[in-house]
Amino acid sequence: MPFKKVGERIAISAGSVYSELILDGSKYFSTLEKAEKQAENFQKKLEKTGKKMEKVGKNLSKYVTAPVVAMGTLSTKAAIDFESAFAGVRKTVDASEKEFAALEKGIRDMSKEIPASATAIAGVAEAAGQLGIETENILKFTRVMIDLGEATNLSAEEAATTLARFANITQMSQKDFDRLGSTIVELGNNLATTEAEIAAMALRLAGAGSQVGLTEAQIMSFAAALSSVGIEAEAGGSAFSRVMVDMQLAVETNSERLKEFANVAGMSADEFRRAFQEDAAGAIIAFIRGLATAEDRGISAIKVLDDMGISEIRLRDALLRAAGASDVFTDALKMGTKAWDENTALTKEAEQRYQTTASQLQIAKNHLQDAAIVVGEIVVPYLVTLSEKIKDVATWFKNLNPETQETIVKMAALAAAAGPLLVIGGKMTQGLSSMIG
């Protein structure tokens, strides 16, 4: 065959092969292009799905898991705290279940009116029971002590202890604690002393004062006057008590001592005896005024006391200070008696404190706390039931083989981390989409 024809055939065959290669390559690249577009679509969908998973996980954790856990925790804690506090009331108060229910309601209602939590109020009520306050008077007593704690420099617990003991010594009616509180506040507001100092001094004077016939208001007034001239309760209170006891004995025995007290007061022995029997406070004031005016009669108060055999330093100092401020004693007696009768000073003082922003915010918080207690009371019984089963569950879990224990722990952890896992899964999905891209 001629070489020319052979060359033509080879050229024709090569062209045919080339055409087939071009056609097959075109088909290949077309398929590859479609695959690329599908991969790109899959990437976008995967990225979109990942973002949705992340969003769902965050929302689940933020709006469902966290609030439910927080609400359950806070409500349960509020209910348990109040239950523990009220257990103290049950421990010190002898009452029926009906009375306990009334006390519990009264304490929680009180927390909605004043800036003290139900738990704190229950603590004061517990102290009231321990101090011998009768069940029917516990709520009123507690309110007065809380008011004193908010309106004065006395803490509620300190006020409860001091005034309950004062009432026991003087045999004061337990229905008069509000009057006693008003007297203390009025004297504290108008004399150079504090409510805490008045209460401490009054407790020192209570025994002798009640024996000589002083009223609770008069004892408080003397306490305020003595503390306002710088006399300390521990020393001065006991010293002044001895003076009152000495006067009482002199009047009862009609001794020479009676004449000495009467001479200082500017009275005859009979006049002083009658004055002391009818108004012991007035007779004591008369004696103090006599010391104050001793120099007008040409003799010093120190000499008068020395002639009476009153040389003990604390006692003499108390009487000399009292003599130098006799008008304070007179004013204090009038003020204290009026405050007892009006019985408004403590209420007014407390109301002013309760109108402050801080107090109003605390009262609002107490409302929320009470709502939490209501919710918690529903949850707590289930927790109690669960706690009764814990021992059996613990024993059961302990007896499982290690593989089963590990599986249970992992499943529990997975359930607890459902929200976070969705977030992580979402981010991983988005990462995968980036890798595909």
Side-chain angles (χ1 to χ4, degrees):
M1 179 181 292
F3 180 76
K4 182 179 181 181
K5 288 185 178 181
V6 173
E8 289 176 351
R9 284 186 178 183
I10 292 173
I12 291 171
S13 297
S16 177
V17 171
Y18 179 77
S19 297
E20 288 179 4
L21 286 173
I22 293 297
L23 182 61
D24 289 342
S26 176
K27 290 179 180 180
Y28 171 75
F29 283 112
S30 177
T31 302
L32 188 62
E33 184 178 1
K34 289 180 181 180
E36 183 181 1
K37 289 182 178 179
Q38 288 176 350
E40 184 179 353
N41 290 335
F42 178 69
Q43 173 199 352
K44 291 179 179 179
K45 289 181 179 180
L46 199 60
E47 183 177 5
K48 186 176 181 181
T49 300
K51 289 181 177 179
K52 287 184 177 180
M53 288 176 66
E54 182 181 4
K55 184 177 181 181
V56 170
K58 288 181 178 179
N59 288 340
L60 180 63
S61 297
K62 182 177 180 180
Y63 298 113
V64 179
T65 307
V68 169
V69 171
M71 182 177 69
T73 302
L74 292 175
S75 298
T76 303
K77 184 179 186 305
I80 291 175
D81 287 348
F82 180 72
E83 182 184 37
S84 298
F86 196 73
V89 179
R90 287 181 173 275
K91 181 180 69 176
T92 62
V93 177
D94 184 16
S96 65
E97 284 303 315
K98 183 178 179 180
E99 289 172 323
F100 278 128
L103 281 174
E104 180 178 349
K105 183 178 184 301
I107 289 171
R108 289 172 59 177
D109 288 345
M110 195 184 300
S111 72
K112 301 173 189 177
E113 300 173 359
I114 60 179
S117 68
T119 301
I121 296 171
V124 179
E126 177 185 351
Q130 189 174 17
L131 292 166
I133 304 301
E134 298 172 356
T135 303
E136 63 180 7
N137 298 317
I138 285 178
L139 286 177
K140 182 179 179 181
F141 173 87
T142 300
R143 176 59 185 265
V144 170
M145 300 309 132
I146 295 290
D147 286 350
L148 283 170
E150 294 292 332
T152 72
N153 68 328
L154 282 164
S155 68
E157 293 77 11
E158 182 185 6
T161 301
T162 303
L163 299 190
R165 290 173 178 172
F166 177 87
N168 289 338
I169 294 171
T170 62
Q171 296 298 300
M172 184 190 83
S173 169
Q174 292 186 357
K175 298 184 183 301
D176 288 335
F177 279 107
D178 52 345
R179 295 183 180 277
L180 192 64
S182 290
T183 303
I184 294 173
V185 169
E186 184 69 13
L187 291 167
N189 285 344
N190 292 281
L191 295 177
T193 184
T194 66
E195 292 83 2
E197 290 174 321
I198 294 172
M201 180 70 78
L203 191 58
R204 293 281 179 174
L205 298 177
S210 60
Q211 285 297 315
V212 302
L214 298 182
T215 66
E216 288 81 6
Q218 289 173 335
I219 294 172
M220 282 293 169
S221 299
F222 273 115
L226 287 168
S227 60
S228 69
V229 294
I231 297 175
E232 295 182 358
E234 186 175 354
S238 298
F240 203 80
S241 292
R242 288 202 296 274
V243 174
M244 291 190 288
V245 171
D246 198 7
M247 285 185 182
Q248 176 75 21
L249 288 174
V251 168
E252 289 182 357
T253 60
N254 197 24
S255 62
E256 288 297 318
R257 189 70 164 171
L258 175 61
K259 294 180 181 179
E260 293 176 350
F261 282 118
N263 287 336
V264 175
M267 304 179 188
S268 66
D270 288 339
E271 288 173 340
F272 188 83
R273 184 178 66 252
R274 285 195 301 271
F276 191 86
Q277 290 173 339
E278 294 173 3
D279 179 15
I284 295 171
I285 291 295
F287 175 74
I288 292 174
R289 282 178 178 167
L291 287 176
T293 59
E295 291 187 1
D296 296 339
R297 301 192 299 273
I299 187 172
S300 68
I302 295 176
K303 181 65 167 59
V304 171
L305 293 176
D306 187 66
D307 290 344
M308 294 180 67
I310 300 176
S311 57
E312 196 271 324
I313 295 176
R314 290 180 177 178
L315 178 55
R316 185 173 62 187
D317 181 60
L319 288 174
L320 290 175
R321 291 194 189 195
S326 59
D327 290 341
V328 173
F329 283 77
T330 303
D331 293 341
L333 282 172
K334 292 178 181 178
M335 190 185 306
T337 302
K338 183 179 179 182
W340 177 279
D341 293 337
E342 291 180 348
N343 192 23
T344 59
L346 176 57
T347 301
K348 290 179 180 178
E349 186 81 6
E351 285 179 349
Q352 290 177 1
R353 298 300 179 95
Y354 296 161
Q355 293 303 315
T356 64
T357 301
S359 294
Q360 289 299 309
L361 288 175
Q362 182 60 51
I363 293 171
K365 180 181 176 182
N366 291 346
H367 278 268
L368 293 175
Q369 194 79 1
D370 188 68
I373 291 174
V374 173
V375 175
E377 286 176 339
I378 299 173
V379 177
V380 167
Y382 292 98
L383 291 178
V384 173
T385 302
L386 178 62
S387 68
E388 294 171 352
K389 303 293 183 181
I390 285 178
K391 183 177 179 180
D392 294 337
V393 172
T395 303
W396 167 78
F397 186 79
K398 181 180 179 181
N399 292 332
L400 293 174
N401 61 64
E403 291 79 9
T404 305
Q405 291 176 341
E406 185 177 356
T407 300
I408 292 174
V409 171
K410 288 179 178 179
M411 291 176 65
L414 181 61
L421 280 175
L422 281 174
V423 175
I424 295 170
K427 288 186 177 297
M428 290 177 65
T429 303
Q430 293 176 66
L432 182 58
S433 72
S434 298
M435 290 175 64
I436 292 173

